[in-house]
Amino acid sequence: MNCSQVQAYLHDLICTGSDPAVEPGLAAHAAACPACKHDYDAAMRALVLLQPSEPLTMSANLKERIMNKIAACEEKGREHTQSKRMYWSRWKPVLAAGVAAALVIVMAPFLLIKSTPVAYALELAMKANEGLQSIHIRITPQSFNSVNELWAQFDDMGELEHLRMNFPDTDDGPKDIVWAEDKAQIWFKAKGGAATVVEKRLIDSLKISYGQFDPKFIVQEIYKKCQNGSLDIEVTEPTVPGDPIVIRASSEKMPGRQEVLSVDAETHLLLQRDTYQLNDGQYELIETWEYLDYNEPIDPAVFVLDLPPDTMIVDQTTQEVGLAQGDLSDKEVAKEVAQQFFTAWSTRDYATMSKLFSGIPVAKAKEICDNITVLRVNSIGEPEFHEKTGALRVPCKIEAQRRGETAEVDMKPLVRQVYQQPGKWEIIGGI
Amino acid sequence: MDEFLIEQDAPPVLDAAAAPPTDEWVGEWPQTAQAFEALVDAYLARLVLYASRRLRNIQDAEDVVQDVLVRAYEGRARHSEVREVGAYLYRMTSNACTDVLRRRQRGAQIVPFAGAGHEQLADPQENVAQTLQATEAALRAERLLQRLPAAQAEAIRLRIYGDLTLDEVAKTTGCSINTVCSRLRYGFEKLRRIVAREKQI
């Protein structure tokens, strides 16, 4: 055998099976060719890993046990039907009207959920998602300030372990967020900066953001609303193997809105959620959430931001950022941040500049100072709300010097709460 | 013959001829217990073979298959439109095995189904050690397969654990033999690379 014959044999091994006639020639070649030996060994190891070593013997009475179970099922079903018939015929004259009325009153909220297909679809979907280990979700179409793609991985206890959310269009431009071990990194792509933060509120907010997409929560929510009668549910079972179970939910409270869940008929996992809105007599698809790669291992690289080399990285886990608001009003603290920042600039206090300007690196603060020298703060005006960023714009008149020329310049820093830290304020735009 | 030997000593994985004899099910989903018994006869040994190889534990495998077949019977009215009965049963078994492995991964105890009639262990300690070893092997194999695209992994499971021929894998997965071969080859190629890399590490 030569190398290409060995490779062809290994390539086909899983389809054609091992050929005892080939083995001696293969072994002889492998003994002289380390590359083929390496490939052959790997193939054998893969097979050994997949094959159980111990022969297993099936219980002799397994079929009997199964048929007994089936017989018991049938018997139970028959008894149930019979007892219902007997009960009904005996008490019909007396109770019929009363029972019917009571059922309508007491069971009204449950009637929908207790119908077999609905219970079947929703309860199994909830159960199927209990063991969720990882998921990839895609949301279309893309909308402003909304996530369009996310990946979530859970630990053995079902707790969220890693999360990535991509926001293609936000106030800050496109940004990606990854979270693991109570630390989040936010990549502000348009600004070429990334911030690493440890902040419980941010973490909680990320978990809540994920929660709205979690397939288990969605099915639970629909089940709950169905139970309390606030949703109408219609279930369509697949007629062709491989097609999903389709669950349509609508509510009188939101006329014209319809949620359509596609649930895998085999695994009972949620495959897709489509939201429709009635428009001019026709249902228009307004959003689709696709549930992809259930429990497929997620490449660890997904949870690491692929930052370009020139990204300005601010690690707020190791440095303090922003000014504490204390008793000051929003406008007062915005003015105070601007005042302290320009004062620090005038004295080349790079550390304070960094702290107040989104935690920019000290080298960046020095570069700013080298470019323009601030001589003094002439005035700080009343901050105004800046709609696009949600920050307060602080009009400042600064006496500054550049290339030997001195002039009063207008500067309008945007001051905002530190990302997800309402008690701290900073100048944004540093990253 | 008291017991049915479902695995031969010879390497089973690549020798489809070693699979237990089966009668392929032709027709609709059986609607009566009597008709269902014929379906059980046709698939019981094959499904247990598949599950036991995947779970490396005969009791769990029997429990899984029992549960699958009972559920298949209970849901017979719902499944009346299903034509590929065997494919459906394999998929149900595969999903049930995944659930068992997931529970094992989470360290939960596998609770036998009520009435399954498990016998008292002769040597609990030895049995626990064997179970742990088998569980670890099953989980390792499952983790390995989980690194492949789902379709490739399932084709390999059916081929190796179920001893299915290429034609049977094609019928079970609802695709052509060429597609099955391609999935098997690419999947196994990837497994070889993973195993080779792990060895180097």
Side-chain angles (χ1 to χ4, degrees), chain A residues 5-17:
Chain A
Q5 285 171 324
V6 170
Q7 292 305 323
Y9 176 74
L10 294 179
H11 184 63
D12 256 5
L13 187 60
I14 189 123
C15 293
T16 57

Side-chain angles (χ1 to χ4, degrees), chain A residues 12 15 50-51 59-60 74, chain B residues 2 13 56 62 73 159 185:
Chain A
D12 256 5
C15 293
L50 294 176
Q51 289 177 46
S59 305
E74 203 159 52
Chain B
D2 288 334
V13 54
R56 316 281 165 109
E62 289 184 359
Y73 180 72
R159 180 87 175 117
R185 286 183 185 126

